[in-house]
Amino acid sequence: MSDNNTNRDSFGSKFGVIAATAGSAIGLGNIWRFPYVAGENGGAAFLIIYLGFVLMIGIPVMLSEFFIGRSSQKNVFGAFRRLAPGRPWYLIGLMGVVAAFMILAFYTVVAGWTLEYIYQSLIDGFAGQSASQLNDMYNSFIGSTWRPLLWFFVFMGLTSAIIMAGVHKGIEKYTKILMPVLLLLLLALVIRSVTLPGAGKGLEFLFRPDFSKIGPSTILVALGQSFFSLSIGMGTLITYASYIRKDENLGFTALSVAMADTFIAVLAGVAIFPAVFAFNIEPGSGEGLVYITLPNIFNQMPGGYFFSLIFFILLTVAALTSTISVLEVIVAFFVEELKLKRRIATVIAAGSVSVIGVLCVLSFSSMAETKIFGFTVFQLLDFTSANIFLPLGGLFIVLFVAWYINRKAIDKELSNKGELKAGYIPFYLFVIKFIAPLAIAFIFLQGVGLINF
Ligand code: PFF
């Protein structure tokens, strides 16, 4: 199309697109965040609402991001400027960049924990520890200062190195192998977990709904979790879609990625909750849930040493394929809008995110008592990015495509200029014109307490 599009990277193959996009979607959000958020919000009823949101809101928002990214071939800010010149829609892009800073800061902290857990697996640090000792081990690790800081910087360094390399080929190549391995390991954990004595209670918690536990804030949290897990609402997928070739099927990609992501989250729930109940851990015990529960399962498995090691390595990889997608949002913006070199853009982006990241690390130790609206810095970034920034971003994204972009452009992009049958378009348009925006707006206003039904 023009200027700096000629030397843009692009994904090499259909499977590469899915691997990279699913790599962004599948991550700590599925295996770490989903179980603890579901645990804090009543389990099964939360899961049902969550699934409804993925289908009715998540997939349409994802497809809208794909449309914006591929038709504009630009970073999140440039995309809106190109599709709506002279209009304030680019503010959505700016909001996305801000959300990327927030998410990357706290997410990389948790990603760093996975490195500590690889190390502990290596030295057989979980062996012979009781559930309560594993709990103490987790708390004393996150409550310390230097080790979590060190792992944070290591992880940020890894993310930056991949982004600096620029081409998605490396990651495309590895995600294609590693994501299926993650699935197999998760299945092994599921089998061990559901055969633990007392596992039934955990499955009941996850699958037998008790709707009395559901309130307006639960619904907002379910919406936020679906956005967070699918990587939607802040332009990550706008940025990635700008690298998708014109002959790929966007509708099919959105559906496959959303299904894979949801499947992994449910599977993580099935791996975690039986163990939670079997080892008498509180389902609502927060961010530590997975880090405390999984080592317990490993201790009860033949070959636990081996499984533990591989599992945390893969969790690291899953986290890494997500952190790069978030950093790419910022770097693509810096490179294309501020005309910075990719290397310099990466250093500036990672450096400034790290400043906030350090505060997140410290919010489990020396800054644990520093509260803003009752949240630590870590909790504030986790909660507000998922439950405020992403839903608002998603709302404006669907409004933009539904009401600003003309129908012909949508038909053309989603059908690859008529090459593909895209019979779902009228239904999709109806959803993004009315259902998705009304639902997001309503849930958002109700969830933050601005209206009260
Ligand atoms: N979807 C990722 C996960 O579930 O771990 C996290 C994430 C990546 C959120 C990219 C938002 C984003 F833009």
Side-chain angles (χ1 to χ4, degrees):
M1 252 151 111
S2 78
D3 49 18
N4 45 27
N5 285 341
T6 39
N7 53 7
R8 284 182 121 247
D9 278 340
S10 68
F11 294 124
S13 66
K14 191 185 295 305
F15 191 50
V17 170
I18 293 189
T21 315
S24 169
I26 298 172
L28 297 171
N30 307 60
I31 297 165
W32 160 72
R33 199 174 190 280
F34 175 78
Y36 97 74
V37 169
E40 285 175 342
N41 289 281
F46 179 88
L47 175 62
I48 293 176
I49 298 170
Y50 175 82
L51 293 177
F53 287 159
V54 169
L55 275 180
M56 286 314 292
I57 304 177
I59 295 174
V61 173
M62 187 182 277
L63 191 55
S64 305
E65 290 202 24
F66 282 174
F67 166 81
I68 295 171
R70 195 176 66 173
S71 61
S72 65
Q73 313 256 298
K74 281 284 192 184
N75 70 89
V76 62
F77 175 84
F80 287 99
R81 286 246 297 229
R82 172 160 290 184
L83 298 179
R87 302 281 175 145
W89 289 104
Y90 64 83
L91 291 172
I92 307 174
L94 283 183
M95 197 169 97
V97 175
V98 172
F101 270 91
M102 296 168 61
I103 291 181
L104 196 55
F106 84 81
Y107 194 93
T108 308
V109 175
V110 184
W113 298 349
T114 64
L115 296 174
E116 167 74 14
Y117 274 64
I118 292 180
Y119 171 72
Q120 289 299 337
S121 305
L122 254 178
I123 61 166
D124 213 4
F126 309 129
Q129 306 249 25
S130 67
S132 81
Q133 284 170 320
L134 288 167
N135 191 9
D136 294 344
M137 184 174 159
Y138 165 80
N139 285 318
S140 76
F141 163 65
I142 62 162
S144 62
T145 303
W146 296 110
R147 288 172 83 92
L149 269 182
L150 169 76
W151 294 129
F152 171 87
F153 283 110
V154 171
F155 207 96
M156 191 59 88
L158 286 172
T159 306
S160 305
I162 294 175
I163 288 300
M164 273 184 198
V167 192
H168 296 261
K169 265 211 173 127
I171 212 65
E172 237 182 289
K173 200 165 105 195
Y174 293 111
T175 44
K176 279 193 272 192
I177 306 164
L178 289 166
M179 297 316 265
V181 181
L182 180 71
L183 176 67
L184 287 180
L185 270 176
L186 208 50
L187 284 172
L189 286 185
V190 162
I191 293 170
R192 174 63 275 202
S193 190
V194 299
T195 51
L196 285 167
K201 268 204 189 136
L203 293 176
E204 216 169 89
F205 179 78
L206 187 63
F207 292 119
R208 185 185 288 170
D210 172 3
F211 284 100
S212 66
K213 296 212 177 106
I214 295 296
S217 73
T218 320
I219 296 178
L220 177 64
V221 171
L223 183 73
Q225 173 60 25
S226 67
F227 275 52
F228 186 83
S229 189
L230 295 170
S231 297
I232 55 178
M234 53 167 269
T236 299
L237 298 185
I238 293 178
T239 309
Y240 266 22
S242 73
Y243 307 126
I244 297 181
R245 287 192 323 219
K246 290 286 187 188
D247 57 351
E248 303 288 355
N249 185 339
L250 295 182
F252 173 78
T253 308
L255 196 63
S256 322
V257 170
M259 284 186 351
D261 186 67
T262 306
F263 183 63
I264 298 281
V266 173
L267 219 51
V270 180
I272 307 293
F273 286 112
V276 164
F277 283 84
F279 302 121
N280 278 322
I281 298 166
E282 261 304 303
S285 54
E287 305 98 3
L289 192 65
V290 166
Y291 289 91
I292 298 162
T293 316
L294 288 180
N296 265 306
I297 311 184
F298 295 126
N299 275 346
Q300 310 279 323
M301 286 173 93
Y305 174 85
F306 185 66
F307 277 116
S308 164
L309 186 58
I310 307 201
F311 183 81
F312 285 114
I313 292 175
L314 285 161
L315 193 56
T316 302
V317 173
L320 191 59
T321 55
S322 299
T323 50
I324 53 171
S325 73
V326 187
L327 185 55
E328 180 63 25
V329 170
I330 309 173
V331 169
F333 167 72
F334 282 176
V335 169
E336 292 177 2
E337 302 303 323
L338 307 181
K339 310 280 178 241
L340 295 178
K341 289 233 158 52
R342 196 170 173 86
R343 259 176 176 285
I344 296 175
T346 309
V347 171
I348 297 177
S352 41
V353 170
S354 296
V355 176
I356 319 171
V358 168
L359 300 180
C360 291
V361 170
L362 297 181
S363 68
F364 292 95
S365 51
S366 48
M367 288 177 59
E369 296 312 317
T370 311
K371 301 268 170 87
I372 308 158
F373 305 119
F375 292 112
T376 63
V377 177
F378 178 96
Q379 289 166 337
L380 186 75
L381 294 185
D382 179 349
F383 186 89
T384 49
S385 60
N387 300 326
I388 295 180
F389 276 70
L390 300 186
L392 278 185
L395 173 65
F396 291 124
I397 286 166
V398 287
L399 287 177
F400 176 70
V401 176
W403 296 100
Y404 183 82
I405 299 291
N406 75 48
R407 168 77 197 256
K408 278 214 183 80
I410 298 173
D411 282 337
K412 189 172 139 200
E413 194 65 42
L414 296 185
S415 72
N416 296 355
K417 294 192 179 153
E419 294 271 306
L420 301 169
K421 276 218 182 69
Y424 61 82
I425 292 180
F427 176 66
Y428 160 68
L429 286 176
F430 179 74
V431 173
I432 61 167
K433 275 198 164 122
F434 305 107
I435 298 181
L438 285 173
I440 300 172
F442 180 77
I443 295 164
F444 181 76
L445 294 174
Q446 176 90 14
V448 297
L450 286 176
I451 55 170
N452 191 3
F453 258 80

